[in-house]
Amino acid sequence: MSNSYRVAILGATGAVGAELIELLESRNFPVGELKLLASPRSAGTSLTFRGETLAVEAVSETSFDQVDIVLASAGGSTSKVWASKIVAAGAVMIDNSSAFRMNPDVPLVVPEVNPQALNHHQGIIANPNCTTILMTVAVWPLYQVQPIRRIVVATYQSASGAGAMAMEEMKQQALAILQGETPKTDIFPYPLAFNLFPHNTPINEFGYCEEEMKMIHETRKIFGVNDLRISPTCVRVPVLRAHSEAINLEFDQPLSVEKARDILSTAPGVELVDDSKANYFPMPIDASGRDPVLVGRIRQDLSHPCGLELWLCGDQIRKGAALNAVQIAELLVEKQLLGLRR
């Protein structure tokens, strides 16, 4: 990655935007010029990159001129507004929203799982949902050794999944409750502090919420297995940062706990945390601010000879969002997949 590239971050003032800036610097991405873009109300804010203070600009029709990569994390509606203009300007858009994930012409990429999908991009690349990213990083290495028939997963999703304002709201709710006051709920529909509730995205006719359906459809697309059976239950929990997932896997044939541990101990993007003697397994507090998906509590499913159970924790803002996007950008540079349409 010897050349330098012109990079724009759309949604620079949000929680993921801040993490994108930090990752571009800490991973030494070859940024020649960095543009920080946001809504007009956030314009004028100052942020730091490589010791230089940069002003956040209001996104406009000319924001993407001469830009090579746009890291978008400003929500689906914003991505839809600007996507065609980004592509028309000759840039590649790596989008963190759900706007284009299920578009058959848009690669949905987890670099540890399906990097080859980038070869066919047409200017837009989608970042999967956070829970999908974490699950696929842990499950894919096992799937490659032994085909999986069914995945049953329960997620324990932190406040960070709803953004910086949601994280702050949970802090304020905790303070209010401890002081005997009624907690305010502006971001979440119910108090999250000292509480939990099923994910509050819309429920379909089958009783599954939108967040759960994302895990089903996105995992099938990433794995390239349209009939993979997946049953998710998504829950919001009073954790500030980092999601957790309890996963039950049903394989075609038995896969031993020892073999699964061996596979995951060297799997890219995974850190094995599986100390049964000390009863020490992945925790959100250990995953927060870190890149790997922590995996442990690997055990035989006592109800099924071909079943395994595992538990994981991963930082939703890093691997679940910003890190995955930066890794995609790194692959685009490595594979020389930028600037092909100029």
Side-chain angles (χ1 to χ4, degrees):
M1 295 195 294
S2 58
N3 295 326
S4 62
Y5 299 87
R6 294 156 295 191
V7 179
I9 298 177
L10 179 58
T13 57
V16 175
E19 208 73 21
L20 286 167
I21 295 169
E22 191 278 326
L23 285 165
L24 289 173
E25 181 170 343
S26 64
R27 293 175 72 87
N28 199 29
F29 189 84
V31 178
E33 178 186 349
L34 182 62
K35 275 189 174 184
L36 304 180
L37 306 172
S39 64
R41 71 175 180 273
S42 297
T45 304
S46 294
L47 298 171
T48 302
F49 177 68
R50 293 177 179 167
E52 182 182 355
T53 299
L54 302 178
V56 177
E57 305 172 22
V59 60
S60 70
E61 297 283 341
T62 60
S63 292
F64 310 106
D65 293 349
Q66 303 304 311
V67 168
D68 299 304
I69 304 170
V70 177
L71 301 170
S73 188
S77 58
T78 300
S79 292
K80 289 177 182 178
V81 167
W82 296 106
S84 61
K85 297 173 177 61
I86 291 169
V87 173
V92 175
M93 178 187 191
I94 303 172
D95 184 39
N96 197 56
S97 80
S98 62
F100 304 101
R101 288 175 185 158
M102 299 315 299
N103 184 322
D105 297 324
V106 174
L108 183 66
V109 178
V110 178
E112 295 88 347
V113 180
N114 62 334
Q116 71 283 353
L118 292 173
N119 298 334
H120 309 292
H121 82 80
Q122 299 176 34
I124 302 173
I125 298 157
N127 223 25
N129 192 45
C130 49
T131 51
T132 303
I133 292 174
L134 301 178
M135 182 175 73
T136 56
V137 166
V139 171
W140 178 249
L142 302 175
Y143 184 91
Q144 289 183 290
V145 174
Q146 188 69 265
I148 293 170
R149 298 168 58 92
R150 185 170 184 246
I151 302 172
V152 180
V153 54
T155 71
Y156 304 76
Q157 297 179 224
S158 63
S160 64
M165 293 177 66
M167 296 166 72
E168 183 59 30
E169 177 173 281
M170 193 184 77
K171 292 180 185 178
Q172 296 304 317
Q173 288 175 349
L175 288 172
I177 292 170
L178 290 171
Q179 293 170 1
E181 301 171 359
T182 301
K184 295 182 180 179
T185 54
D186 296 321
I187 308 299
F188 292 118
Y190 319 107
L192 184 58
F194 305 108
N195 191 29
L196 58 81
F197 46 83
H199 205 280
N200 57 292
T201 45
I203 303 290
N204 66 15
E205 66 271 27
F206 304 109
Y208 283 81
C209 73
E210 186 178 276
E211 186 83 354
E212 293 159 350
M213 296 308 296
K214 287 177 184 178
M215 294 193 76
I216 295 171
H217 296 312
E218 292 177 20
T219 303
R220 287 173 175 173
K221 182 176 179 177
I222 294 163
F223 279 19
V225 183
N226 293 330
D227 59 352
L228 181 59
R229 291 183 290 170
I230 307 170
S231 180
T233 301
C234 294
V235 180
R236 188 74 74 185
V237 297
V239 171
L240 193 62
R241 180 165 171 162
H243 292 351
S244 304
E245 301 181 16
I247 302 174
N248 177 278
L249 302 172
E250 179 187 337
F251 296 88
D252 275 347
Q253 300 292 328
L255 182 69
S256 72
V257 170
E258 293 72 21
K259 180 66 173 176
R261 283 200 188 103
D262 287 344
I263 294 167
L264 290 171
S265 67
T266 59
V270 170
E271 181 178 318
L272 192 64
V273 181
D274 199 35
D275 188 346
S276 296
K277 290 183 179 179
N279 205 356
Y280 195 95
F281 303 107
M283 294 182 285
I285 197 169
D286 291 335
S288 294
R290 301 191 59 216
D291 293 344
V293 178
L294 309 184
V295 182
R297 199 122 201 268
I298 304 165
R299 61 202 188 278
Q300 173 68 48
D301 178 354
L302 297 180
S303 72
H304 199 295
C306 298
L308 281 182
E309 304 269 6
L310 59 85
W311 170 259
L312 67 78
C313 295
D315 190 311
Q316 177 275 332
I317 302 176
R318 289 186 79 89
K319 184 54 187 171
L323 175 62
N324 201 76
V326 172
Q327 287 176 309
I328 290 171
E330 291 170 345
L331 281 173
L332 290 175
V333 170
E334 179 185 327
K335 293 171 172 281
Q336 299 182 350
L337 295 172
L338 290 170
L340 301 180
R341 298 168 296 103
R342 288 192 186 279

